[in-house]
Amino acid sequence: MAAMRMKLGYESPTMAVPCPFIDHYMNTCPPVYALVYIYSLRRTSEGNALTMGETAAHFNILESDVYNAWRYWENAGIVLFEGTAPDVAVTFLPQEQWGKKKNEAKAVKSAISGERPGYDAKELELYKKNSGEVERLFKHAEKTLGLVKYTDLNMVFGLYDWLRIPIDVIEYLLSYCADKGIRNLNYIESCALDWYDNGITTVSEAEEYSQTFFGEYRDILQAMGQRIDYPTPMIKKHIDKWRKEWNIPISLIIEACERSEGIQLIKSRLKHMNTTIESWHKAGITTIEGVQVADEEHARVKETVKAPARVVKPRASRFANFTQRKNDYTKFEQLQRDYILKELQG
């Protein structure tokens, strides 16, 4: 196949786009994200101020698309992205810092705290008024899950402002929960935290994650008789320990589920399952065949080593220690004859 030849037929001011961006980053991102990066880099290199609205207008896209692009590049570790729309700041990082994790690259930013901040009603209304994408997010929350209360929107906005999850990913999460009939706010937030911890920043990543790891949760939950697709925090804590720390195969976890069948209280059932799985883990058992061998060995040992039969000592009768009298009946007869003779002789 002939090589394609390319050349510039005119002279033009140039702008350097880092080669690693073209070779390793641009080929895996949504095309519009690459356009936002390159265009913004050009404008910034010329010393021009640039807003998300101007960038969106230049490409005829939504401001939320621009916002999500910067979230994407932030998570890729090639820019610092600070602030909340529409008041944001982007810093292009030098190439030697590229590829680092977000919290490593963002040395000037504090890490996400373990507790979601609270927002008062006036704050939420102001964000909604000043940001088209926040208004869009709230409308999506209302449409999909009927989330209109202050507490509802507080949680939803926290996913955006606190966890900094892209708008389209939050919308996918809300739609996902709506499809599953999930309307519990703590449950939805637990899902979002799990996605954040696993670096989910795009809808495609969320879809893939839902179909793979969520699939494992779903299989285990079904084996436990739980009619949900995503585990509660307590169940998730146990499953993550079995899967991530102990590397227990799904087949063994499901086997433990079956062996705990009949235990109604979920806390007690998890305790029983954990004891069973831990014993397999300590024994190095990783297959159902290994479990069967261990069961057979346990039964054999139990049959061989039996406790000695209990010797029951007969209870002593209350008369056992009674020493019977040894009477001299001959002497009684002699006394009786003597008495009769005496009476006859008068």
Side-chain angles (χ1 to χ4, degrees):
M1 180 181 294
M4 181 174 63
R5 297 179 177 83
M6 301 179 66
K7 69 176 182 178
L8 282 176
Y10 57 89
E11 293 184 1
S12 174
T14 61
M15 178 198 71
V17 177
C19 291
F21 177 82
I22 299 173
D23 297 337
H24 305 295
Y25 292 88
M26 193 172 73
N27 63 331
T28 58
C29 73
V32 70
Y33 292 1
L35 294 176
V36 168
Y37 180 90
I38 295 172
Y39 176 71
S40 301
L41 179 62
R42 174 184 178 277
R43 291 289 301 273
T44 303
S45 65
E46 295 175 347
N48 297 321
L50 184 65
T51 67
M52 289 201 301
E54 291 172 338
T55 306
H58 183 79
F59 292 110
N60 193 26
I61 58 178
L62 298 174
E63 285 188 34
S64 59
D65 294 326
V66 180
Y67 184 87
N68 290 337
W70 292 124
R71 292 290 190 202
Y72 180 88
W73 295 125
E74 178 193 37
N75 281 282
I78 69 175
V79 302
L80 296 182
F81 185 62
E82 301 175 280
T84 303
D87 184 18
V88 299
V90 177
T91 302
F92 292 89
L93 294 174
Q95 293 183 43
E96 57 267 21
Q97 292 188 25
W98 284 17
K100 294 182 179 180
K101 293 181 180 179
K102 181 171 64 173
N103 286 339
E104 295 174 344
K106 293 169 61 178
V108 297
K109 288 189 68 176
S110 60
I112 294 292
S113 64
E115 183 178 353
R116 170 169 49 87
Y119 311 92
D120 60 41
K122 291 183 179 180
E123 280 184 294
L124 294 179
E125 190 60 34
L126 185 62
Y127 280 119
K128 179 181 177 181
K129 181 179 178 180
N130 295 332
S131 174
E133 59 183 12
V134 173
E135 181 182 15
R136 163 189 153 189
L137 176 61
F138 286 175
K139 286 183 178 179
H140 185 81
E142 179 180 358
K143 180 180 178 181
T144 55
L145 291 168
L147 303 179
V148 294
K149 296 181 181 179
Y150 160 68
T151 51
D152 300 340
L153 301 181
N154 211 314
M155 185 279 294
V156 173
F157 184 72
L159 306 184
Y160 169 84
D161 182 66
W162 170 51
L163 296 182
R164 296 184 173 243
I165 298 176
I167 291 288
D168 56 345
V169 177
I170 299 176
E171 290 178 336
Y172 174 80
L173 171 62
L174 297 180
S175 297
Y176 176 88
C177 291
D179 291 341
K180 302 300 181 182
I182 300 170
R183 285 174 169 76
N184 182 281
L185 296 184
N186 291 332
Y187 190 90
I188 295 172
E189 188 175 57
S190 294
C191 291
L193 284 167
D194 184 67
W195 288 14
Y196 172 82
D197 290 339
N198 286 277
I200 305 300
T201 59
T202 67
V203 172
S204 60
E205 290 174 343
E207 290 175 341
E208 181 180 359
Y209 186 76
S210 299
Q211 294 171 0
T212 55
F213 202 74
F214 277 10
E216 293 185 354
Y217 283 136
R218 185 166 51 250
D219 292 342
I220 295 171
L221 291 168
Q222 287 178 352
M224 294 179 66
Q226 300 292 306
R227 297 181 179 180
I228 52 177
D229 289 332
Y230 192 84
T232 63
M234 179 175 65
I235 297 177
K236 182 178 182 299
K237 180 180 178 181
H238 280 81
I239 294 177
D240 287 347
K241 177 175 66 175
W242 301 332
R243 293 289 293 134
K244 296 180 180 180
E245 294 182 24
W246 295 351
N247 294 318
I248 303 297
I250 295 294
S251 58
L252 293 194
I253 298 178
I254 292 178
E255 176 68 18
C257 289
E258 295 175 354
R259 294 186 180 215
S260 67
E261 188 176 2
I263 302 177
Q264 299 299 323
L265 189 62
I266 188 62
K267 188 174 182 180
S268 300
R269 188 169 189 181
L270 285 172
K271 183 178 180 180
H272 183 278
M273 289 176 62
N274 189 71
T275 300
T276 302
I277 294 172
E278 185 176 16
S279 68
W280 294 339
H281 174 62
K282 289 181 177 180
I285 297 172
T286 59
T287 64
I288 293 295
E289 291 74 16
V291 170
Q292 293 172 347
V293 171
D295 288 346
E296 292 171 0
E297 178 65 16
H298 178 73
R300 186 187 65 79
V301 172
K302 186 177 180 180
E303 182 67 25
T304 303
V305 183
K306 290 185 176 180
R310 182 182 176 186
V311 178
V312 180
K313 186 177 181 179
R315 182 180 176 184
S317 169
R318 60 176 177 167
F319 300 108
N321 297 324
F322 177 74
T323 303
Q324 296 187 13
R325 298 175 183 175
K326 295 181 180 180
N327 296 316
D328 189 349
Y329 291 99
T330 303
K331 184 176 180 179
F332 289 156
E333 292 175 356
Q334 182 61 43
L335 289 174
Q336 188 177 20
R337 284 195 296 270
D338 291 343
Y339 176 79
I340 293 172
L341 291 173
K342 185 178 179 180
E343 287 293 324
L344 292 174
Q345 293 174 357

